[in-house]
Amino acid sequence: MFAFEAELEVTEIDDRLRPGAWFSAKGKELGRSSVVFVSRRMVHIGRLVLLAVHMIDDRPTPLFGQVGSCEYDTDGMHRLSIDLRPLPDQVLIDEWMATLGRNNA
């Protein structure tokens, strides 16, 4: 795992593969098959999530995965480890990414 400083927007994916409202998070670690971030919101182990990683590009980079762990960290923050998976349907990603920047959280 490598240090990974990035702003993230995260959404849980429901049983019908639809994203919900997004929430902000901060990237901490990145590996070949996982990413670790912290957020005020907890997510249950086993849930699918879609991440928008804000780095240098004008368009965020999407990542998709399953929550492997979620633990209380400190100061009301939770530390989540996501096991990365192949991205789902591109239409799902494009529709969700279009909502980012709007006040829906």
Side-chain angles (χ1 to χ4, degrees):
M1 296 285 269
F2 297 95
F4 177 61
E5 299 281 329
E7 296 294 321
L8 308 174
E9 288 161 331
V10 183
T11 186
E12 287 186 59
I13 304 296
D14 69 14
D15 295 337
R16 292 193 260 179
L17 295 179
R18 294 181 306 190
W22 59 267
F23 58 94
S24 296
K26 294 206 185 282
K28 293 297 179 186
E29 299 175 19
L30 179 65
R32 295 183 77 171
S33 62
S34 64
V35 62
V36 175
F37 63 85
V38 294
S39 83
R40 292 211 175 275
R41 185 165 167 195
M42 62 88 53
V43 181
H44 292 283
I45 295 172
R47 295 290 301 203
L48 296 175
V49 293
L50 186 58
L51 311 158
V53 180
H54 295 275
M55 295 296 281
I56 298 170
D57 299 337
D58 61 344
R59 182 173 164 91
T61 301
L63 293 176
F64 178 72
Q66 186 173 28
V67 177
S69 69
C70 179
E71 301 172 350
Y72 182 77
D73 198 18
T74 58
D75 298 326
M77 301 297 280
H78 294 84
R79 184 177 180 88
L80 292 95
S81 176
I82 308 301
D83 300 322
L84 297 174
R85 293 183 169 192
L87 289 170
D89 181 17
Q90 188 63 41
V91 173
L92 166 76
I93 294 168
D94 291 342
E95 288 175 357
W96 180 66
M97 297 281 259
T99 69
L100 299 178
R102 299 180 191 164
N103 189 13
N104 72 340

